[in-house]
Amino acid sequence: MSKKTKAQELQEQLTWTFPHIGKDSPGQIEKASKYCEGYKAFLNAGKTERECVKAAVKMLKKAGYRPYDRKASYEAGDKVYYVNRDKALIATTFGRKPLSEGVRINGAHIDSPRLDLKPNPLYEKDGLALLKTHYYGGIRKYQWSAVPLAMHGVVYLEDGTRVEISLGEKEGDPVFCVTDLLPHLAGEQNGRKLSEGIKGEELNVVIGSLPYEDSKDVKEAVKLKVLALLNQYYGMTEKDFIRAEIEMVPAYRAVDIGLDRGMVGAYGQDDRVCAYTALQAEMGVTDPVYTTMTILTDKEEIGSVGNTGLNSDYVLHYIQTLAERKGADYKTVLASSLCLSSDVNAAYDPTFASVYESRNSCYAGKGCVLTKYTGARGKSSSNDASAEVMAKVIRIMDEAGVCWQTGELGAVDAGGGGTIAQFVAGLNVDVVDLGVPILSMHAPFELASKLDVYHTYLAFRAFYTAG
């Protein structure tokens, strides 16, 4: 072997590229694949934020967590959880260091783009019973037509009974669908801009097509048949839709993608991929140096609004109660804390290369992605993590042997987006985004590399256990 030149040696010392995990560490492939079996099960169990909280509580209880009691005293190693209105959750493992030295916070969101039913959704038109929807989050509307949909949600009946709905997930269940035009008749539609290929008021879900029996003298007999079935299954009447939260989500189950099975394909990986890996890392912590806080939050896709979103004060109030019990000033706790805003980024897609800047994009298979800032164009609605925060988090990952990369959300003027980081930063907490690169983000079916999922879990585990 020829001796390296000084220039070659200097190039090795001074330059840097992010390696592909499967190429440099092929032994990781089997570990990642095995890890993602549990992840796929979590995706199948949690198609909505309520279902994710329900699944998370089940996992936490099995791991020894108890409901948080603000009047109780806790010692290092104790594990508790707090549920906010069945749509958000905080899990905590108490650490050895005093709370005044800060906590390690990891926040992911468990809401995903979907079609919500309007308050008065059911109608009949020309022999079909349909549901009016109002889309939730940033969707590309044309992607939601002609795909199988499942109905999930909760409804309160007039007598106060709470009924959970999940229809379209089990073998033999009926599914639902938004129709689209056949190409033979789509001349006018083809002239629309892609963003208007399907319009919001055209996202109507087919729920029935048969009339109620012996209904010759009844108007809207197909609608009546649907109401009769809803009443039979769930005890509902039409008025009960007003007291309901019902979401139409893709009926797909999580599957492996590619002949090599190297990716997971599923609905809702933004951001349940970070929720699952964060929860797994949290549950694995036994004796942390710092108290941990794993937050699974709601409403990120529409701006983190409402009392279950991170732009409310429920996390602040939780930290205040922790500080009160430990005799600490909550402002000092916040200022001393470090947070990972655990959210996905857009993986570089060679089919649509023009909207990315290749040197500053993240790639499937190269590990979790550290996103210094999000926002749009001039970094509006961004957190923009400091050099100090970047250095801390990178050191933690490097010392733990985590494969990581950096990435921006596309080219500077191509668009952009936000995460919960800006709201955490508003509490005077140091924060940076870290998560999984995703292909087809916000589509009804998203792709993630199993290697990236696994190394995101390793990053979170290192974050919680580092001193």
Side-chain angles (χ1 to χ4, degrees):
M1 183 180 293
S2 60
K3 186 178 179 180
K4 294 179 181 178
T5 67
K6 184 177 179 180
Q8 288 174 323
E9 292 177 350
L10 195 63
Q11 186 178 47
E12 287 185 5
Q13 294 172 13
L14 300 182
T15 62
W16 173 256
T17 57
F18 298 109
H20 192 289
I21 303 169
K23 187 175 182 180
D24 284 22
S25 304
Q28 298 279 309
I29 295 174
E30 185 176 350
K31 292 180 181 179
S33 183
K34 185 177 180 181
Y35 178 81
C36 284
E37 289 305 301
Y39 169 51
K40 289 188 292 183
F42 179 79
L43 289 173
N44 292 335
K47 289 286 189 79
T48 70
E49 64 281 6
R50 287 178 181 268
E51 291 173 353
C52 283
V53 167
K54 188 175 181 179
V57 168
K58 185 177 180 180
M59 293 164 64
L60 289 167
K61 285 183 175 179
K62 188 175 181 180
Y65 286 72
R66 296 173 294 162
Y68 174 61
D69 181 354
R70 61 179 298 172
K71 296 180 180 180
S73 296
Y74 296 103
E75 303 299 329
D78 288 344
K79 291 175 172 286
V80 299
Y81 70 91
Y82 162 74
V83 174
N84 179 17
R85 296 172 171 86
D86 292 336
K87 294 184 179 182
L89 175 148
I90 303 174
T92 291
T93 303
F94 289 90
R96 298 194 305 272
K97 285 200 171 186
L99 214 63
S100 58
E101 294 191 32
V103 297
R104 288 279 165 87
I105 306 169
N106 192 349
H109 68 90
I110 49 177
D111 61 317
S112 294
R114 60 182 188 251
L115 303 181
D116 287 344
L117 295 194
K118 292 188 176 184
N120 186 25
L122 181 61
Y123 70 104
E124 180 179 332
K125 182 72 172 178
D126 299 323
L128 290 176
L130 300 140
L131 295 169
K132 298 294 294 183
T133 69
H134 194 131
Y135 60 91
Y136 173 99
I139 71 168
R140 306 191 75 186
K141 294 185 281 290
Y142 74 89
Q143 295 177 334
W144 289 75
S145 63
V147 299
L149 300 174
M151 181 187 294
H152 290 249
V154 61
V155 56
Y156 281 85
L157 306 182
E158 193 159 3
D159 64 1
T161 302
R162 183 181 189 272
V163 179
E164 293 184 7
I165 296 174
S166 178
L167 189 59
E169 300 291 350
K170 298 177 183 177
E171 186 70 28
D173 274 2
V175 297
F176 311 92
C177 185
V178 173
T179 59
D180 199 357
L181 275 174
L182 62 162
H184 314 68
L185 300 178
E188 182 275 331
Q189 185 191 44
N190 290 340
R192 298 179 184 179
K193 294 189 301 181
L194 183 60
S195 62
E196 298 177 353
I198 295 290
K199 299 179 180 180
E201 292 297 348
E202 294 170 342
L203 290 169
N204 303 316
V205 177
V206 175
I207 191 173
S209 59
L210 296 175
Y212 188 79
E213 299 80 2
D214 299 323
S215 57
K216 292 182 180 179
D217 299 326
V218 175
K219 290 183 178 180
E220 299 187 321
V222 180
K223 176 181 174 180
L224 182 61
K225 176 74 170 181
V226 169
L227 285 171
L229 290 170
L230 288 172
N231 186 262
Q232 176 185 332
Y233 297 156
Y234 305 114
M236 288 182 63
T237 68
E238 186 171 16
K239 185 179 179 182
D240 293 326
F241 278 113
I242 300 171
R243 288 185 289 264
E245 290 180 5
I246 299 177
E247 306 169 11
M248 308 302 297
V249 300
Y252 311 128
R253 296 184 68 78
V255 295
D256 293 339
I257 296 293
L259 290 174
D260 55 10
R261 297 180 177 270
M263 305 187 94
V264 173
Y267 162 69
Q269 297 199 74
D270 174 13
D271 185 37
R272 291 166 191 150
V273 64
C274 294
Y276 178 77
T277 48
L279 198 62
Q280 286 283 307
E282 163 70 42
M283 291 188 300
V285 174
T286 56
D287 186 29
V289 177
Y290 296 94
T291 294
T292 68
M293 277 182 53
T294 299
I295 304 167
L296 307 187
T297 195
D298 184 26
K299 296 292 191 291
E300 190 276 343
E301 296 295 359
I302 58 172
S304 295
V305 297
N307 55 13
T308 54
L310 248 293
N311 199 20
S312 78
D313 286 340
Y314 79 90
V315 171
L316 172 62
H317 294 164
Y318 181 82
I319 292 175
Q320 285 176 324
T321 62
L322 292 183
E324 287 172 3
R325 296 302 298 170
K326 294 294 184 180
D329 179 1
Y330 79 91
K331 294 178 184 177
T332 301
V333 176
L334 291 167
S336 304
S337 295
L338 180 62
C339 176
L340 296 181
S341 166
S342 303
D343 210 340
V344 301
N345 201 330
Y348 182 86
D349 189 336
T351 302
F352 304 103
S354 63
V355 298
Y356 299 86
E357 197 268 280
S358 60
R359 287 184 56 82
N360 288 285
S361 294
C362 56
Y363 292 78
K366 293 191 175 184
C368 59
V369 54
L370 190 62
T371 305
K372 185 181 188 299
Y373 47 80
T374 53
R377 297 176 175 84
K379 299 185 181 179
S380 62
S381 299
S382 175
N383 162 58
D384 204 356
S386 68
E388 290 81 1
V389 172
M390 294 291 286
K392 284 181 185 178
V393 175
I394 290 171
R395 176 185 58 79
I396 290 171
M397 291 193 291
D398 282 347
E399 290 179 353
V402 175
C403 292
W404 60 275
Q405 57 184 313
T406 58
E408 292 187 339
L409 190 59
V412 174
D413 286 333
T419 67
I420 65 168
Q422 59 182 309
F423 305 111
V424 176
L427 296 174
N428 193 28
V429 174
D430 284 333
V431 57
V432 65
D433 284 286
L434 191 150
V436 175
I438 295 288
L439 288 165
S440 299
M441 189 196 299
H442 278 218
F445 193 74
E446 302 169 315
L447 308 184
S449 162
K450 292 181 179 180
L451 289 166
D452 299 337
V453 175
Y454 180 58
H455 275 266
T456 299
Y457 160 70
L458 295 180
F460 294 161
R461 187 176 71 178
F463 177 71
Y464 281 147
T465 58

